[in-house]
Amino acid sequence: MSAGDDAERLARIFLARVLEPGDETGGRWVRELGAVQLVRRLRGNGPPLGGATDKRWAGLLGRARQAEPERDLAAARDAGARFVMPGDAEWPGQLEDLGDARPLGLWVRGRAGLRMWALRSVAVVGARACTEYGAHMAALLGAGLAERGWVVVSGGAYGVDGAAHRGALGAGGATVAVLACGVDQPYPRGHTELITRIAQQGLVVGELPPGDHPTPSRFIVRNRVIAALTRGTVVVEAAHRSGSLVTARAAQRLGRHTMGVPGPATSGLSAGVHQLLRGDAELVTDAADVVELVGEMGELAPDRRGPVLPRDLLDPGARRVLAALPGRGAAQPGAIARGAQTTPDEAIARLYELRSLGYVERHGDGWKLTRQAMISVRGGRH
């Protein structure tokens, strides 16, 4: 690492202690002055920069006096984490779409390369207090995406997030947890084992320095990173005020695919998803649907069809003759021919064919459906 790279890295780690994630004013200062120069301004107790009130600037200076980037680097090394910043080979270029709200850098736990994983990733998010249906669908999506070679990205929370992570892990696939706290501080505590497993088999990512704890606002701004990292966002269950809708709307603003899994019309936990689906979001029901939207050309979901019935295998002419027979009683060949829009000779030939297959039987001079055929034909007419 060159001296310039080292100074830039330490400056960004310093600023991660001073600026809150998603601070667009701070991001503009970094863009206009550079991280190193901004650190000098914050350490020099100079006048406020443009866009900051005296009160806010005083708060930033107070934070700057507490920042010790070397200490944060040492704590990260102890936790098996590294700091990835713009310009690094591992930095995901799609985060640049966030403009001045892009992260100063990301702390990353895990052996995989974040940039390569993010190129083929999908976010699966939803309600923390999800239903059994929501957990089931999230796990199915996580496993299905992993089996197709896609990385599942979520927030490590209870409910849908945890189910999606577990689905991917259970399928032997890749998953990324984007936390709203330091990557050495598993949150929620009940997911310590899960997040540890994700760090071993996948990646744990966060903007905040080691030791930092989450706050309500940090959860919200964290969601923009989930949206920006991935090719698309799937919302499994979400009430009208769910934080997962923030992720979906961020994905829409960034031009990413936004998808929703429908739920019961009576479920308040699906109301937010249904609202998305009434807008620009795409309805998906499984991993194949998701991959068809976010994948390369040719990664198509299979055609959705009902079960193949015996009558579906009949020649079209035979099906028309079969459909022309009445549901009750017998009919003459002439009447059957008219109903099938064919000639009497053709109708008789088809009737003998249908008799050999067990669909019709002779009844005097006429023809009638067998009991088996009556059930089949009635099913097709409903």
Side-chain angles (χ1 to χ4, degrees):
M1 183 186 300
S2 70
D5 287 342
D6 192 42
E8 178 75 11
R9 192 172 307 277
L10 288 173
R12 286 178 174 272
I13 293 171
F14 178 99
L15 293 172
R17 279 284 176 196
V18 177
L19 301 172
E20 279 293 309
D23 183 341
E24 293 192 52
T25 301
R28 177 171 58 82
W29 294 337
V30 172
R31 174 171 52 81
E32 292 176 349
L33 299 175
V36 174
Q37 181 60 30
L38 179 56
V39 170
R40 290 196 186 104
R41 294 290 297 267
L42 288 164
R43 279 177 163 162
N45 290 319
L49 290 169
T53 63
D54 290 341
K55 184 177 180 180
R56 185 186 177 215
W57 186 250
L60 294 176
L61 294 179
R63 282 189 169 196
R65 285 190 287 271
Q66 303 299 317
E68 296 182 34
E70 292 86 354
R71 181 186 61 190
D72 286 336
L73 270 177
R77 282 194 294 268
D78 291 343
R82 59 192 178 276
F83 186 75
V84 178
M85 69 179 190
D88 287 345
E90 194 179 350
W91 181 255
Q94 56 266 49
L95 291 175
E96 302 303 311
D97 293 346
L98 291 169
D100 288 339
R102 76 176 181 180
L104 291 159
L106 291 172
W107 300 91
V108 181
R109 282 176 64 196
R111 291 186 294 274
L114 178 60
R115 185 179 72 86
M116 294 305 297
W117 273 26
L119 290 174
R120 192 173 168 84
S121 66
V122 176
V124 180
V125 298
R128 286 177 173 82
C130 68
T131 64
E132 289 185 13
Y133 165 78
H136 175 73
M137 291 303 300
L140 281 181
L141 283 168
L145 288 165
E147 289 167 355
R148 288 165 172 79
W150 285 79
V151 177
V152 176
V153 179
S154 198
Y158 292 130
V160 165
D161 289 16
H165 289 307
R166 290 189 180 94
L169 292 169
T175 190
V176 177
V178 182
L179 305 185
C181 56
V183 295
D184 61 336
Q185 302 288 316
Y187 187 89
R189 295 296 181 193
H191 272 180
T192 298
E193 183 178 345
L194 173 62
I195 291 170
T196 300
R197 187 180 170 198
I198 293 171
Q200 294 168 347
Q201 189 172 326
L203 291 172
V204 176
V205 176
E207 293 179 79
L208 290 157
D212 260 18
H213 297 282
T215 64
S217 63
R218 287 172 171 178
F219 283 115
I220 296 300
V221 296
R222 178 273 314 269
N223 292 346
R224 83 196 192 289
V225 176
I226 295 176
L229 271 178
T230 53
R231 298 277 288 271
T233 293
V234 185
V235 183
V236 176
E237 277 189 324
H240 279 302
R241 294 176 59 84
S242 171
S244 57
L245 298 182
V246 174
T247 312
R249 291 176 185 128
Q252 288 176 330
R253 288 194 301 272
L254 293 165
R256 310 293 197 263
H257 293 283
T258 307
M259 297 155 277
V261 177
T266 54
S267 172
L269 280 175
S270 288
V273 181
H274 295 161
Q275 184 180 30
L276 279 178
L277 293 173
R278 287 195 295 272
D280 295 329
E282 298 281 351
L283 187 152
V284 295
T285 58
D286 58 19
D289 287 344
V290 175
V291 171
E292 182 173 293
L293 289 170
V294 302
E296 304 299 332
M297 187 177 296
E299 294 187 77
L300 302 178
D303 290 338
R304 310 295 181 176
R305 300 186 55 178
V308 176
L309 301 175
R311 67 173 182 273
D312 297 330
L313 305 177
L314 294 173
D315 177 272
R319 284 205 301 270
R320 286 193 294 272
V321 170
L322 182 62
L325 271 84
R328 292 182 180 277
Q332 298 296 313
I336 296 170
R338 287 192 296 274
Q341 299 182 26
T342 188
T343 64
D345 288 343
E346 171 68 12
I348 290 171
R350 295 296 188 180
L351 287 165
Y352 277 103
E353 177 185 336
L354 290 167
R355 186 178 70 169
S356 69
L357 296 171
Y359 284 97
V360 300
E361 58 189 12
R362 288 287 300 270
H363 188 76
D365 293 333
W367 294 80
K368 64 182 291 188
L369 295 170
T370 62
R371 183 180 297 275
Q372 172 190 346
M374 287 175 65
I375 296 171
S376 177
V377 171
R378 285 173 180 170
R381 286 175 178 169
H382 281 290

